[in-house]
Structures are given as structure tokens and as C-alpha cells.
Amino acid sequence: MDQLGISAESFGKWGGKERRDMWKSRKKLKKNVDHRQQAWNQASHHADDGQQADRTMDRRLCGITRLETYLDTIGGKEWKSHTLVVISVKDTVGMAVTKELAKKVQTSLGCRFDLQGKHWKAYLAVIHRGKVLDEQLSIGNESIEFIRSVEGLEVSVFSSTYGKENVSQILLDGVDYSRNQRGLNLVVYEWDARRVCDAVCFDTHMSGYPCTRRQKAEHSLEVRHSAAYLARRMDELEGAIRDLEDCVKCNAKKEQMVLWQIFERAYGNRTEAQQAFFRSLPKAEGRLRKLQQVGLILLKQFDRICKEHGIVYWLGFGTLLGAVRHGGFIPWDDDTDVCMTRDQLEKFAGVMEHETEFCFFEYIVTDIGNTNMCHQFRLKEMQNRKMEFSLDIFVYDFCDDISAQNIEKQYQLKHEMSKKGWELYWNMQDQPQVREEQLRKLLKTYQQKAYQLTGIQDGTQGRGLMWALDNFDYESAKGSCMEVDAVFPLELAEFEMHRFPVPKHPLRYLEQMYGDIYSLPDDLASHQHFNLDAYKEIEAVLKRYPIKQQPSEEG
């Protein structure tokens, strides 16, 4: 504030009224939500009709707050044959899902899908008396639904991620029992008593999986006559919540306007003010900063090899955004991305056959929503290790037609290939070597289809660049398909006090993918690709390829 020449009194004049209005709105809406919650509690009490809590819930189950224990309980013999278990995801499956938790969901409940790494996908499962009636995992971020009558009980399940409706619904005979919170929403229904034993949510986006459930049990289905009354109350509550969310978003925009006005007064114009703000953000610290430095080491070595052999590449995605907006790594990012055309990738692969310390590593990734070939630059000693540090290489094909319609054709081919790849993967679980060969053949087959359908070029010329089928299914990458003249000839930009190639028009390149790059991002605390606990490997690489650190970067 002082550096900008703005006093606290001046800041209050510019932003104080905005903030007061915001908190008044929030307080008013919170009061409205509280009133609706009271109405829900009163309606629930009325619907109970004097029934004891012991009758409408199982105290043993509702006392469990640890997700692993909960899964073991409802997956045990005592519970399996007598219950209906319904799972619905809201917002995200969650970045905190570990390999062990994903395995426990499969073994305890009999589910098929591995939930690890499926962060922003919708998911639902319906397990009836120990058997999975239905299980769905979205391919992209589309919403999914299940509607069916089970032993006379009308079951309707809906799952939607943050990018869509952002809702979890678990309706039994028209009553929604889902907690509708982020993560795994579970409802357990006991067939013998014809009642809901528990409705709970575990936030699998946070370590420890925080647990939330209603303070009292849901009423039994003997009081279904009150469902319509309760539904109306819940609709009112949800409407108030939506109003609150809109208010928060609106006030966030107002706060950004105030922020940019303050900076603009100090710097003269909006562009310089925004650039100054992001450049002034502190760098990452501790292990995250050291992991970024490992990424910088890989990028410098990659750049050296490309220069020595005349190979053309450019910074891409978060790395390019960091170069343009921050002059280095985005403070909360941990990976490094580069891009090149297919002919340059093939040239690079040939050069790397003679390298001793580093390697060009390729492997196929297949899950329900994706089949792609990962191209990476790694330390040779880590090429076959699961916990790797790598530089990701993304591929573009030359193509004369890069209209929105043609790009969509390419993405439809990608979705079709991913679906077939998943089916192949699932049917050949016990034949990993044959499966790998078949997946590679599948990639080549669809590459040939792309030549015919979208007109990508099997060469080194074309008027545009098309996001290749090899890459993973990334919606924002559609914006990076553009005319060759918008990318070449490449320019140089500073990244962590070094200069690397970037597209000719980097701002246009980024804005077509991300929109306004100077708006405050939403992923400050959730953008993570690698395991920060692998400190031994981090320290070993930094010791071998030392980077001079600033005092503020020590951690």
C-alpha cells in the first residue's frame, strides 16, 4: 500500500463502501439461509411424528467419522445383505483420494472404477444387497444420472461437477437425502426397517476426508406424505444458497475492480497495474519451490539439447502463463509444459537415443475418460519410476482447416478413441503386454482417421496447428489451435531469469485458452500434479544441478 503511495484512508474511500455492502448482503442472505434451515428442522421434527431417534438411525453407523472405517462397516457381512448403499459426487471426486482409499472403495463395496486422479469427474454408484446395480464415472465433466425402481423403492441419483450444475442428489421415493456437499455423498438405506440409516458426506478433496451429516436421522419412509412439504422448503433453501453464491461472485468481481482501480492510480493504466500486481506476488516456498526448481533444471537441459540440434519448441500452458504473467513459475503451480510439432518431436526422439543423463519417455495412459500417449523429458535414472519428475511435451499436427467445426471433429475422434481404449484396457486386464501393443495400434488407427476426417498433415507444412490425438483430452487446448503465423516465428520471454521460446503472440495464445489471464484465479490452493513428499529425490536432483537460490526461496 505504501509502495503505491496510497494511504489507509484513501483505500477506505475507494473500497470501504464496496466491502460494507458486500458483508451486508452476505449477512442478509445468511440470515435467510438460517431461517430456511430452521424450517427444514421443524418440518423434519413434524414428520417424525414422535418416533424415537433410535428407530430412524443406527447409532453405530452414524457415530463413524473416518471414511475408511465407514467403508469397512457398510461393506461388512452384517450390513451388505440388508442395505442399499448409494453414492453421488458433488463438485469433484477429490484430489485427496489416495491409491489405498480408491482400492478400499473397490474391495469394500465391489465397485469397479479407480477413483484416484479422477478429480473433476462426476461419479455415482448404487449397491443393492452387496451387488453393484449401477456405477458411472463421467468421461469429461458432464453430469450423470440413475433412475430405477429397486424392490418397490424409487431411486433417483444425480451427480454433477463444479463446472456444471455442481449438485449431488439421492432421492428415495421423492425425498432427497444427499448432503449435497463436496466429495462423496453417501446414503445407507436398511431394507428390513424400510428406513434411511444414515446420510453423510466425506470431503475427499481434503486430507483426512472431513465428515458432515445431519444432526438427527432422516425420518422413515412411513412419512412420505410430508415429502412435498419438505421438498418445497429445500427448494427455498437451495434458492437462497444460489443467491448467496451469486452475491459472493458479484462481490468478488467488485473487489477486483477496486483492486485494479487502486493499482491503476499508481501505475497509470490498467495493463501495467495488472502486470505489476502479479509480478509482485511472492514466489512459492519450501518443497513446492524446490520442485519448481527441479522443473527449471529439466527445462534448461531440454532447451540446451534442442538448441544443439536445431529443434523447435515453445513454452505452453501454465509455464507460458507463468512466463507472461509472473516472469517465472506461477506461485502455486508445480509442473513444466512445452509444445512442439510432430516432426520436431520425432527429431527430438532420435536425438535422445544418444543422451546419457536424460531420456525421452513415452507411455500410454488409459482410463474411462481418456486414452493418450504421454511424451516426457526425464532424468534417465527415473524413467521407470512411478514417482517421477518430468517435463511434459505436447504435440501439434499441421492442418489447413482450424475452424471451430474442424477442431470439434478432432475432439469427437478423441472421445471415440478414448472410449474404445477404455474398453480394450478393461477387457485385457490380465494381458498387459498385448494390451499395450493393441493400444498403440489404436492410436495409429485413429491418427490415420484424423488424416482423412480433419485433414491434419503428415508432414511439416500447413496453415494451422491442431491439438494432436496423442495428447490428453483438455478442453482449454482447443483455444491453442490457431494459424501458424500466430505462433511462428517464435519470440523469447523471461522465465525464472532465463529466456525461452514462446509463441509470436503469447497473449492471444493464452487468452484463447484461458480468457482474461489477469483475473484472479480460483485454483490457488488446488493446482498440484506431483507428490511434494518425495523430498529425497528433489534434494538429490538439486544437489547434482545446483541453482542459486534467493534468501526468500529457502524452505
mmCIF file of all heavy atoms in Angstrom, residues 193 468 479:
data_model
loop_
_atom_site.group_PDB
_atom_site.id
_atom_site.type_symbol
_atom_site.label_atom_id
_atom_site.label_comp_id
_atom_site.label_asym_id
_atom_site.label_seq_id
_atom_site.Cartn_x
_atom_site.Cartn_y
_atom_site.Cartn_z
ATOM 1 N N ALA A 193 -36.075 -52.507 7.947
ATOM 2 C CA ALA A 193 -36.873 -51.477 8.630
ATOM 3 C C ALA A 193 -37.468 -50.463 7.661
ATOM 4 O O ALA A 193 -38.248 -49.605 8.083
ATOM 5 C CB ALA A 193 -36.006 -50.750 9.659
ATOM 6 N N ALA A 468 -3.045 -32.471 -31.093
ATOM 7 C CA ALA A 468 -2.931 -33.835 -31.595
ATOM 8 C C ALA A 468 -3.727 -34.831 -30.764
ATOM 9 O O ALA A 468 -3.967 -34.622 -29.565
ATOM 10 C CB ALA A 468 -1.464 -34.252 -31.636
ATOM 11 N N GLY A 479 -8.420 -23.794 -27.662
ATOM 12 C CA GLY A 479 -8.039 -22.408 -27.954
ATOM 13 C C GLY A 479 -6.631 -22.253 -28.445
ATOM 14 O O GLY A 479 -6.263 -21.194 -28.975
#
